[in-house]
Amino acid sequence: QVQLVESGGGLVQAGDSLRLSCAASGRTFSAYHMGWFRQAPGKERDFVAAITWSGGNTYFADSVKGRFTISRDNAKNTVYLQMNSLKAEDAAVYYCGALRVGSPGRIDRKEVYSYWGQGTQVTVSS
């Protein structure tokens, strides 16, 4: 079992930056790839970014490329999402997920993730 707790959300203005954190506990953090997804009211949970277990590979949705970065600190069991140049359309609840290394499926698919946090709200005022 892996427990995930997101933090760092809040209310910001368009153009501002925000850094989300996701702290993991329970199992070996480095045994999991990590992903960030977001869900706006009435919409599906969409892929935002992901990072492999070692941090060697990162993936981003087209809508956030060049603005968001993802990183992880395996010594701290934490994954981060740095969000710059925020837009109104970035507003959503942001969830981090854990995907066990070796699991089948694409890292940008929410269906393959085994564990989720409770989410953190990001609100962007224009």
Short mmCIF file of all heavy atoms in Angstrom, two decimals, residues 26-65:
data_model
loop_
_atom_site.label_atom_id
_atom_site.label_comp_id
_atom_site.label_asym_id
_atom_site.label_seq_id
_atom_site.Cartn_x
_atom_site.Cartn_y
_atom_site.Cartn_z
N GLY A 26 4.74 4.37 2.88
CA GLY A 26 4.19 3.03 2.90
C GLY A 26 5.01 1.99 2.16
O GLY A 26 5.12 0.86 2.62
N ARG A 27 5.52 2.30 1.01
CA ARG A 27 6.32 1.34 0.25
C ARG A 27 7.54 2.07 -0.31
O ARG A 27 7.68 3.27 -0.16
CB ARG A 27 5.50 0.74 -0.91
CG ARG A 27 4.40 -0.20 -0.47
CD ARG A 27 4.92 -1.52 0.01
NE ARG A 27 3.87 -2.45 0.40
CZ ARG A 27 3.39 -3.40 -0.37
NH1 ARG A 27 3.86 -3.53 -1.60
NH2 ARG A 27 2.46 -4.21 0.07
N THR A 28 8.40 1.33 -0.95
CA THR A 28 9.61 1.91 -1.52
C THR A 28 9.25 2.88 -2.65
O THR A 28 8.76 2.46 -3.70
CB THR A 28 10.55 0.82 -2.06
OG1 THR A 28 10.83 -0.09 -1.02
CG2 THR A 28 11.84 1.44 -2.58
N PHE A 29 9.49 4.15 -2.40
CA PHE A 29 9.08 5.19 -3.35
C PHE A 29 9.71 4.98 -4.71
O PHE A 29 9.08 5.17 -5.75
CB PHE A 29 9.47 6.55 -2.77
CG PHE A 29 9.04 7.72 -3.58
CD1 PHE A 29 7.70 7.96 -3.83
CD2 PHE A 29 9.98 8.62 -4.09
CE1 PHE A 29 7.28 9.05 -4.56
CE2 PHE A 29 9.57 9.72 -4.83
CZ PHE A 29 8.22 9.94 -5.06
N SER A 30 10.96 4.56 -4.73
CA SER A 30 11.67 4.41 -6.00
C SER A 30 11.20 3.20 -6.80
O SER A 30 11.68 2.96 -7.90
CB SER A 30 13.18 4.31 -5.77
OG SER A 30 13.48 3.22 -4.93
N ALA A 31 10.26 2.44 -6.26
CA ALA A 31 9.66 1.33 -7.02
C ALA A 31 8.48 1.80 -7.85
O ALA A 31 7.84 0.98 -8.51
CB ALA A 31 9.22 0.23 -6.06
N TYR A 32 8.23 3.11 -7.84
CA TYR A 32 7.05 3.63 -8.53
C TYR A 32 7.40 4.80 -9.45
O TYR A 32 8.16 5.70 -9.08
CB TYR A 32 6.01 4.11 -7.51
CG TYR A 32 5.41 2.98 -6.72
CD1 TYR A 32 6.05 2.49 -5.59
CD2 TYR A 32 4.22 2.40 -7.12
CE1 TYR A 32 5.51 1.44 -4.88
CE2 TYR A 32 3.66 1.35 -6.41
CZ TYR A 32 4.31 0.88 -5.29
OH TYR A 32 3.78 -0.15 -4.59
N HIS A 33 6.84 4.74 -10.65
CA HIS A 33 6.76 5.95 -11.46
C HIS A 33 5.66 6.81 -10.84
O HIS A 33 4.72 6.30 -10.23
CB HIS A 33 6.38 5.62 -12.90
CG HIS A 33 7.25 4.59 -13.55
ND1 HIS A 33 8.64 4.63 -13.52
CD2 HIS A 33 6.93 3.46 -14.24
CE1 HIS A 33 9.13 3.60 -14.19
NE2 HIS A 33 8.11 2.86 -14.63
N MET A 34 5.77 8.12 -11.04
CA MET A 34 4.79 9.03 -10.44
C MET A 34 4.19 9.93 -11.50
O MET A 34 4.87 10.36 -12.44
CB MET A 34 5.46 9.87 -9.37
CG MET A 34 6.06 9.08 -8.22
SD MET A 34 4.81 8.16 -7.29
CE MET A 34 3.84 9.50 -6.58
N GLY A 35 2.92 10.22 -11.34
CA GLY A 35 2.24 11.08 -12.30
C GLY A 35 1.38 12.12 -11.62
O GLY A 35 0.95 11.93 -10.47
N TRP A 36 1.16 13.21 -12.33
CA TRP A 36 0.21 14.24 -11.90
C TRP A 36 -0.92 14.28 -12.93
O TRP A 36 -0.67 14.30 -14.14
CB TRP A 36 0.88 15.61 -11.84
CG TRP A 36 1.76 15.81 -10.66
CD1 TRP A 36 3.13 15.67 -10.62
CD2 TRP A 36 1.36 16.21 -9.35
NE1 TRP A 36 3.59 15.96 -9.36
CE2 TRP A 36 2.53 16.29 -8.56
CE3 TRP A 36 0.14 16.52 -8.75
CZ2 TRP A 36 2.51 16.66 -7.21
CZ3 TRP A 36 0.12 16.88 -7.41
CH2 TRP A 36 1.29 16.94 -6.66
N PHE A 37 -2.13 14.30 -12.42
CA PHE A 37 -3.33 14.43 -13.23
C PHE A 37 -4.16 15.56 -12.65
O PHE A 37 -3.95 15.97 -11.51
CB PHE A 37 -4.13 13.12 -13.21
CG PHE A 37 -3.47 11.99 -13.95
CD1 PHE A 37 -2.35 11.36 -13.44
CD2 PHE A 37 -3.98 11.56 -15.17
CE1 PHE A 37 -1.73 10.32 -14.13
CE2 PHE A 37 -3.38 10.52 -15.86
CZ PHE A 37 -2.25 9.90 -15.34
N ARG A 38 -5.09 16.05 -13.42
CA ARG A 38 -5.97 17.10 -12.91
C ARG A 38 -7.40 16.88 -13.39
O ARG A 38 -7.62 16.28 -14.45
CB ARG A 38 -5.48 18.48 -13.35
CG ARG A 38 -5.51 18.75 -14.84
CD ARG A 38 -4.81 20.07 -15.16
NE ARG A 38 -4.85 20.40 -16.57
CZ ARG A 38 -4.18 21.41 -17.12
NH1 ARG A 38 -3.39 22.20 -16.34
NH2 ARG A 38 -4.27 21.66 -18.41
N GLN A 39 -8.32 17.38 -12.60
CA GLN A 39 -9.72 17.20 -12.92
C GLN A 39 -10.47 18.48 -12.61
O GLN A 39 -10.51 18.93 -11.46
CB GLN A 39 -10.31 16.03 -12.12
CG GLN A 39 -11.71 15.66 -12.53
CD GLN A 39 -12.14 14.34 -11.94
OE1 GLN A 39 -11.54 13.82 -10.99
NE2 GLN A 39 -13.18 13.75 -12.50
N ALA A 40 -11.05 19.06 -13.66
CA ALA A 40 -11.88 20.24 -13.51
C ALA A 40 -13.32 19.78 -13.32
O ALA A 40 -13.68 18.66 -13.69
CB ALA A 40 -11.75 21.12 -14.75
N PRO A 41 -14.17 20.63 -12.75
CA PRO A 41 -15.56 20.24 -12.50
C PRO A 41 -16.25 19.78 -13.78
O PRO A 41 -16.18 20.45 -14.82
CB PRO A 41 -16.19 21.53 -11.97
CG PRO A 41 -15.06 22.27 -11.35
CD PRO A 41 -13.87 21.97 -12.21
N GLY A 42 -16.89 18.63 -13.71
CA GLY A 42 -17.63 18.10 -14.84
C GLY A 42 -16.79 17.49 -15.93
O GLY A 42 -17.31 17.12 -16.99
N LYS A 43 -15.48 17.36 -15.69
CA LYS A 43 -14.59 16.81 -16.72
C LYS A 43 -13.87 15.57 -16.21
O LYS A 43 -13.88 15.26 -15.03
CB LYS A 43 -13.58 17.87 -17.15
CG LYS A 43 -14.22 19.07 -17.85
CD LYS A 43 -13.18 19.98 -18.46
CE LYS A 43 -13.83 21.11 -19.23
NZ LYS A 43 -12.82 22.00 -19.86
N GLU A 44 -13.25 14.88 -17.16
CA GLU A 44 -12.47 13.70 -16.83
C GLU A 44 -11.17 14.10 -16.13
O GLU A 44 -10.72 15.24 -16.23
CB GLU A 44 -12.13 12.94 -18.11
CG GLU A 44 -13.32 12.37 -18.85
CD GLU A 44 -13.86 11.12 -18.16
OE1 GLU A 44 -13.04 10.33 -17.64
OE2 GLU A 44 -15.09 10.96 -18.12
N ARG A 45 -10.59 13.14 -15.46
CA ARG A 45 -9.26 13.34 -14.87
C ARG A 45 -8.25 13.19 -16.01
O ARG A 45 -8.14 12.13 -16.62
CB ARG A 45 -8.99 12.32 -13.77
CG ARG A 45 -7.71 12.57 -13.02
CD ARG A 45 -7.57 11.63 -11.83
NE ARG A 45 -8.63 11.84 -10.83
CZ ARG A 45 -8.62 11.29 -9.63
NH1 ARG A 45 -7.60 10.53 -9.25
NH2 ARG A 45 -9.62 11.51 -8.79
N ASP A 46 -7.50 14.25 -16.26
CA ASP A 46 -6.59 14.29 -17.40
C ASP A 46 -5.13 14.25 -16.96
O ASP A 46 -4.76 14.79 -15.92
CB ASP A 46 -6.81 15.57 -18.22
CG ASP A 46 -8.14 15.57 -18.94
OD1 ASP A 46 -8.64 14.49 -19.28
OD2 ASP A 46 -8.68 16.68 -19.14
N PHE A 47 -4.33 13.67 -17.80
CA PHE A 47 -2.89 13.59 -17.57
C PHE A 47 -2.26 14.98 -17.67
O PHE A 47 -2.61 15.78 -18.54
CB PHE A 47 -2.27 12.68 -18.63
CG PHE A 47 -0.76 12.67 -18.62
CD1 PHE A 47 -0.06 12.05 -17.60
CD2 PHE A 47 -0.06 13.29 -19.65
CE1 PHE A 47 1.32 12.05 -17.60
CE2 PHE A 47 1.33 13.28 -19.67
CZ PHE A 47 2.02 12.66 -18.64
N VAL A 48 -1.33 15.24 -16.75
CA VAL A 48 -0.58 16.49 -16.77
C VAL A 48 0.91 16.22 -17.00
O VAL A 48 1.52 16.76 -17.92
CB VAL A 48 -0.76 17.26 -15.45
CG1 VAL A 48 0.12 18.51 -15.44
CG2 VAL A 48 -2.22 17.62 -15.24
N ALA A 49 1.49 15.37 -16.15
CA ALA A 49 2.93 15.11 -16.24
C ALA A 49 3.24 13.81 -15.51
O ALA A 49 2.49 13.38 -14.63
CB ALA A 49 3.73 16.25 -15.63
N ALA A 50 4.36 13.20 -15.87
CA ALA A 50 4.80 11.98 -15.20
C ALA A 50 6.31 11.92 -15.20
O ALA A 50 6.97 12.54 -16.05
CB ALA A 50 4.21 10.75 -15.87
N ILE A 51 6.82 11.14 -14.27
CA ILE A 51 8.26 10.98 -14.14
C ILE A 51 8.56 9.54 -13.78
O ILE A 51 7.85 8.94 -12.96
CB ILE A 51 8.83 11.96 -13.09
CG1 ILE A 51 10.35 11.95 -13.07
CG2 ILE A 51 8.24 11.70 -11.71
CD1 ILE A 51 10.95 13.12 -12.28
N THR A 52 9.57 8.98 -14.40
CA THR A 52 9.92 7.59 -14.12
C THR A 52 10.60 7.46 -12.76
O THR A 52 10.99 8.46 -12.14
CB THR A 52 10.82 7.03 -15.22
OG1 THR A 52 11.93 7.91 -15.42
CG2 THR A 52 10.03 6.90 -16.53
N TRP A 53 10.77 6.24 -12.32
CA TRP A 53 11.22 5.99 -10.95
C TRP A 53 12.54 6.65 -10.61
O TRP A 53 12.74 7.11 -9.48
CB TRP A 53 11.32 4.48 -10.72
CG TRP A 53 12.46 3.84 -11.47
CD1 TRP A 53 12.44 3.35 -12.75
CD2 TRP A 53 13.79 3.64 -10.98
NE1 TRP A 53 13.67 2.87 -13.08
CE2 TRP A 53 14.53 3.03 -12.02
CE3 TRP A 53 14.42 3.91 -9.78
CZ2 TRP A 53 15.87 2.68 -11.88
CZ3 TRP A 53 15.76 3.58 -9.64
CH2 TRP A 53 16.47 2.97 -10.68
N SER A 54 13.44 6.75 -11.58
CA SER A 54 14.75 7.32 -11.33
C SER A 54 14.79 8.82 -11.60
O SER A 54 15.79 9.48 -11.31
CB SER A 54 15.79 6.64 -12.22
OG SER A 54 15.53 6.94 -13.58
N GLY A 55 13.72 9.33 -12.20
CA GLY A 55 13.73 10.72 -12.63
C GLY A 55 14.37 10.91 -13.98
O GLY A 55 14.50 12.04 -14.46
N GLY A 56 14.74 9.82 -14.62
CA GLY A 56 15.45 9.93 -15.88
C GLY A 56 14.61 10.32 -17.07
O GLY A 56 15.14 10.82 -18.07
N ASN A 57 13.32 10.08 -16.96
CA ASN A 57 12.42 10.42 -18.07
C ASN A 57 11.20 11.15 -17.53
O ASN A 57 10.64 10.76 -16.51
CB ASN A 57 11.97 9.17 -18.81
CG ASN A 57 13.12 8.50 -19.55
OD1 ASN A 57 13.76 7.60 -19.01
ND2 ASN A 57 13.39 8.95 -20.75
N THR A 58 10.80 12.18 -18.26
CA THR A 58 9.61 12.93 -17.90
C THR A 58 8.70 13.06 -19.11
O THR A 58 9.17 13.00 -20.26
CB THR A 58 9.96 14.33 -17.37
OG1 THR A 58 10.72 15.04 -18.36
CG2 THR A 58 10.77 14.26 -16.09
N TYR A 59 7.43 13.22 -18.84
CA TYR A 59 6.42 13.30 -19.88
C TYR A 59 5.44 14.40 -19.52
O TYR A 59 5.12 14.58 -18.34
CB TYR A 59 5.69 11.96 -20.00
CG TYR A 59 6.62 10.79 -20.18
CD1 TYR A 59 7.17 10.15 -19.07
CD2 TYR A 59 6.96 10.32 -21.45
CE1 TYR A 59 8.04 9.08 -19.22
CE2 TYR A 59 7.83 9.26 -21.60
CZ TYR A 59 8.36 8.64 -20.48
OH TYR A 59 9.22 7.59 -20.64
N PHE A 60 4.94 15.10 -20.52
CA PHE A 60 4.03 16.21 -20.28
C PHE A 60 2.89 16.21 -21.29
O PHE A 60 3.07 15.86 -22.45
CB PHE A 60 4.76 17.55 -20.37
CG PHE A 60 5.84 17.70 -19.33
CD1 PHE A 60 7.15 17.35 -19.61
CD2 PHE A 60 5.54 18.19 -18.07
CE1 PHE A 60 8.13 17.47 -18.66
CE2 PHE A 60 6.53 18.31 -17.11
CZ PHE A 60 7.82 17.94 -17.40
N ALA A 61 1.74 16.64 -20.82
CA ALA A 61 0.65 16.92 -21.73
C ALA A 61 1.02 18.12 -22.59
O ALA A 61 1.74 19.02 -22.14
CB ALA A 61 -0.63 17.21 -20.94
N ASP A 62 0.54 18.14 -23.81
CA ASP A 62 0.87 19.25 -24.72
C ASP A 62 0.47 20.59 -24.13
O ASP A 62 1.15 21.60 -24.34
CB ASP A 62 0.17 19.04 -26.06
CG ASP A 62 0.77 17.92 -26.87
OD1 ASP A 62 1.92 17.51 -26.58
OD2 ASP A 62 0.10 17.44 -27.80
N SER A 63 -0.61 20.60 -23.38
CA SER A 63 -1.14 21.86 -22.85
C SER A 63 -0.24 22.50 -21.80
O SER A 63 -0.39 23.68 -21.50
CB SER A 63 -2.53 21.63 -22.26
OG SER A 63 -2.48 20.67 -21.23
N VAL A 64 0.70 21.73 -21.25
CA VAL A 64 1.55 22.28 -20.19
C VAL A 64 3.03 22.29 -20.56
O VAL A 64 3.86 22.78 -19.78
CB VAL A 64 1.35 21.53 -18.85
CG1 VAL A 64 -0.13 21.51 -18.46
CG2 VAL A 64 1.92 20.12 -18.91
N LYS A 65 3.37 21.74 -21.70
CA LYS A 65 4.77 21.71 -22.11
C LYS A 65 5.36 23.12 -22.16
O LYS A 65 4.74 24.04 -22.67
CB LYS A 65 4.90 21.04 -23.48
CG LYS A 65 4.88 19.54 -23.45
CD LYS A 65 5.01 18.96 -24.85
CE LYS A 65 4.92 17.44 -24.80
NZ LYS A 65 4.94 16.84 -26.16
#
